[in-house]
Amino acid sequence: MSNSTRVTVITGDGIGPEIMGASLSLADAAGARLDWELAEAGAVAVAKGEKSGVPRETLDSIERTGLVLKGPLATPIGSGAKSANVTLRKMFETFANIRPVRELPGVASPFAGRGIDLVVVRENVEDLYAGIEHMQTPDVAQCLKLVSRLGCQRIARTALELAVSEGRERVTVATKANIMKFTEGMMQREFEQAARNYPQLRTDHMLIDNCAHQLVMAPEQFDIIVTTNMNGDIISDLASGLVGGLGFAPSANLGERVAIFEAVHGTAPDIAGKDLANPTAMILATVMLLHHDGQSPAAERLEQALFAALEEGAATHDMGGTLGTREFAAAIGERIGRTSSTASRPKGQLKLPSLTEADLRSEPGSRGKAGVDVFIESHDTPENIAERLAAATIGTPYQLSMISNRGTVVWPSRGPRPSCVDHYRCRFLIADRRSWHADSVLGLLERVGRDYRWMHVEKLDIVNGEPAFTVAQGE
Ligand code: NAI
């Protein structure tokens, strides 16, 4: 087995052993040169007292192999144990989630016959999913949406490289840059900058809401869609629904050192151990792993056998058929070496971007201070708050310029007032910018704190003469 690639195999929980068993034996039958290294994670590991869901030996195995085929893992609810999936994603920083969505022969869907064949490339570690949340007041929660140039550049370039490696023509970046100009806008800008190096590709920007609409109206138009974490989470599931659902959706989680391949669906506890599971998504994840490892001939043999079985009506119960997992796998096994009438997409080697410091480190530029936003908790009226805060600024370099509630200006009043919650942003601008110093913020906070509980402060920077903060609605 000297010319085989070692792969860490995490069988998974629920239906994991059934679908993984089918995938491994079919990969072997298709001529894959893979050397499976079995490792535990998920419920089995938690039951043995491993709170992270991923034991040390499994992490060591992944460090060694860099390549993982993973069954679904149950996320324990309320036991204090962590999600093994999240542990793996964070520990190995698999920043790119690749979700191919392709119409499969014999799989019923309202879109059958449209020729859907697209890939959603989702940034996988940043955005709202960084999990930085704070209760601001008893009634108001906040989640920080952090988006970085590093995150945007590497996912943008991954999507562009994927297009090249798969011979695709169009890459669409989907964002909400019209509303979130800095965060979602950064994804659009970084993508557009990266796309300049790929003149052979057709690249465009689409607002994510329109993208969702277009995915349902004319999904066949898309080749590759690249997007931020939460957008990608939602539209990739939507896209899977177009071609038969999660039971047919594989995915890859790619990082610099580690690539993890898996089915998108979960452990299906309702059918576990009953020989009812559909192994298609897991088999397609194995096909992706084989391509990734440069074993495209074996990948295509496996995929063609699957397509041939589907074309000839092989179907598990979830597809309206009668075959059990084992019979379905056997139907595929019998067809290894056959060519179906659905061609496999030719795939080259995907080159993950290597970014240098110079790619990512912006010039610090000239920086100045315009003032500070202080967030306070209050059930007072905006007028009363304004009166007290204006008094608090006397003798400081600050002036109260506006108060907003959930992003809309409520003082100075301009027309109808939105319903206010107990969370106000109070913007203090500095009259003479040269007079700003850090102690002045502390002095201001001390004065504000005499009347109100403050919980959050943002300095208002001016970078290269441009405000590094947005204005409120109606400001
Ligand atoms: P699920 O995907 O396991 O099941 C949803 C429904 O789809 C069920 O009716 C199930 O029987 C069916 N289904 C799923 N895969 C199937 C297959 N291959 N063949 C036939 N039917 C299939 O989602 P659910 O119930 O929300 O989650 C169950 C567990 O799985 C939870 O602990 C969850 O945290 C975990 N999970 C793990 C994932 C992963 O490891 N990547 C992803 C999603 C959920």
Side-chain angles (χ1 to χ4, degrees), residues 116-383:
I116 296 173
D117 181 7
L118 60 92
V119 187
V120 178
V121 177
R122 163 188 170 194
E123 198 291 319
N124 216 18
V125 289
E126 309 195 321
D127 192 10
L128 291 163
Y129 291 20
I132 309 172
E133 293 197 298
H134 299 92
M135 286 307 293
Q136 296 281 291
T137 76
D139 296 331
V140 176
Q142 173 192 275
C143 177
L144 274 191
K145 181 175 169 81
L146 284 184
V147 173
S148 73
R149 279 189 61 207
L150 168 72
C152 295
Q153 270 296 329
R154 66 185 179 181
I155 201 69
R157 295 198 203 180
T158 301
L160 293 157
E161 281 297 330
L162 185 69
V164 172
S165 74
E166 297 197 353
R168 292 178 183 267
E169 288 167 10
R170 178 180 175 199
V171 186
T172 305
V173 63
T175 76
K176 197 72 186 168
N178 54 333
I179 305 290
M180 289 167 272
K181 296 182 176 17
F182 290 152
T183 51
E184 291 283 311
M186 183 178 282
M187 178 61 93
Q188 180 184 358
R189 284 188 297 277
E190 294 299 320
F191 173 81
E192 285 168 354
Q193 191 205 57
R196 285 189 209 124
N197 295 322
Y198 298 81
Q200 72 276 35
L201 299 176
R202 193 152 56 91
T203 55
D204 62 339
H205 173 253
M206 196 177 271
L207 291 175
I208 187 69
D209 40 347
N210 182 30
C211 181
H213 172 245
Q214 294 289 327
L215 270 170
V216 176
M217 298 303 286
E220 60 281 354
Q221 71 177 288
F222 291 107
D223 246 351
I224 290 186
I225 301 170
V226 57
T227 186
T228 45
N229 203 343
M230 187 158 130
N231 291 336
D233 192 8
I234 297 166
I235 62 156
S236 56
D237 269 27
L238 184 157
S240 303
L242 303 175
V243 296
L246 296 182
F248 302 92
S251 87
N253 296 286
L254 306 181
E256 268 165 30
R257 293 179 296 125
V258 168
I260 303 173
F261 296 83
E262 63 180 331
V264 169
H265 61 72
T267 59
D270 49 338
I271 55 165
K274 297 181 180 162
D275 195 38
L276 289 175
N278 180 353
T280 301
M282 196 70 236
I283 293 169
L284 289 171
T286 311
V287 169
M288 288 179 85
L289 180 145
L290 283 165
H291 278 299
H292 178 86
D293 191 46
Q295 300 194 42
S296 288
E300 281 183 22
R301 266 196 298 281
L302 178 53
E303 190 174 53
Q304 283 299 307
L306 168 69
F307 287 174
L310 291 171
E311 277 172 4
E312 288 163 40
T316 47
H317 291 262
D318 56 305
M319 298 166 69
T322 55
L323 298 185
T325 312
R326 283 194 292 264
E327 288 168 310
F328 184 76
I332 300 167
E334 284 159 17
R335 289 167 174 83
I336 286 190
R338 293 254 304 270
T339 304
S340 78
S341 51
T342 310
S344 288
R345 179 171 264 287
K347 295 204 176 160
Q349 202 76 24
L350 170 62
K351 211 169 70 214
L352 280 185
S354 55
L355 302 174
T356 64
E357 284 277 301
D359 285 329
L360 298 169
R361 187 166 289 187
S362 299
E363 289 297 318
S366 74
R367 300 209 189 172
K369 293 282 176 289
V372 66
D373 276 347
V374 182
F375 295 74
I376 62 163
E377 176 182 342
S378 176
H379 285 290
D380 221 346
T381 64
E383 288 72 23

